[in-house]
Amino acid sequence: MAWLPGHEPSTGTAAEVLSAHRAGRTVVTVTALRQNLAVLACATVIVPDLDAFDAWLAHPEGGG
């Protein structure tokens, strides 16, 4: 899970997300940065906030 609050991408978090993606892991990002190329390319699930992440945790089969 990667949490990207605010509107600034994080290079360190992007590297971790890429590493998890390359390892075949489920990558869930909590961010409003839905247009960010790193998020779109590497995230399995994108949720807009922590409440939505909590809802996804309760029902991960429903997607994001």
Side-chain angles (χ1 to χ4, degrees):
M1 189 277 275
W3 182 34
L4 298 168
H7 297 287
E8 292 294 323
S10 165
T11 303
T13 302
E16 292 177 5
V17 166
L18 177 60
S19 180
H21 172 74
R22 286 183 173 168
R25 303 295 187 218
T26 297
V27 177
V28 181
T29 58
V30 180
T31 184
L33 297 172
R34 293 187 74 91
Q35 297 85 356
N36 182 282
L37 184 57
V39 172
L40 292 172
C42 296
T44 309
V45 177
I46 304 170
V47 294
D49 54 37
L50 292 175
D51 288 335
F53 177 64
D54 188 46
W56 179 82
L57 284 174
H59 302 285
E61 68 283 350

